[in-house]
Amino acid sequence: MAAIHVTKDNFKQEVLEADVPVLVDFWAEWCGPCQMVLPIVEELAGEVKDAKVCKVNVDEQMELAKEFRVMSIPTLMVFKDGQKVKSEVGAKSKEELKAMLGV
């Protein structure tokens, strides 16, 4: 399964109400490091079974970026039981993302 594109309209349903851990990648098309992480995020989305992977384009979803205080991108956050439990800034390896998710 590909990473789910999340907007302010479906963030609550896809992330906060999820019954599994959720990795959220806050990114933008013009961001070089974001483009480096993109294939890793998509690959991880296709592999994980007990977690969910979502993406938020900060240029299109400024309200979400502001709400979660995204100051630099890529910012990767993990949510469990409706709460942000981890946050990292910068490009990460697939192993680092798996460790963040606990998978």
Side-chain angles (χ1 to χ4, degrees):
M1 175 195 276
I4 300 164
H5 291 270
V6 178
T7 68
K8 62 181 171 61
D9 297 324
N10 68 349
F11 190 88
K12 181 179 177 187
Q13 175 188 349
E14 294 292 349
V15 178
L16 301 180
E17 295 177 349
D19 56 359
V20 293
V22 182
L23 174 71
V24 180
D25 175 18
F26 289 87
W27 69 287
E29 288 188 24
W30 50 264
C31 166
C34 298
Q35 296 305 318
M36 290 171 39
V37 172
L38 184 63
I40 297 168
V41 168
E42 290 293 345
E43 187 177 322
L44 187 63
E47 292 179 7
V48 294
K49 304 292 182 234
D50 50 355
K52 188 188 284 192
V53 179
C54 298
K55 301 188 301 187
V56 174
N57 183 324
V58 297
D59 288 335
E60 296 172 359
Q61 301 300 318
M62 291 182 208
E63 288 177 40
L64 286 175
K66 184 177 178 181
E67 179 179 348
F68 292 99
R69 295 186 171 101
V70 174
M71 301 295 175
S72 298
I73 52 175
T75 292
L76 300 135
M77 296 183 184
V78 174
F79 291 80
K80 289 183 182 175
D81 300 318
Q83 300 294 315
K84 179 178 73 170
V85 295
K86 293 183 185 171
S87 183
E88 298 277 340
V89 176
K92 303 292 176 206
S93 69
K94 186 170 158 186
E95 290 72 28
E96 290 171 309
L97 295 180
K98 284 177 141 182
M100 281 181 72
L101 265 174
V103 296

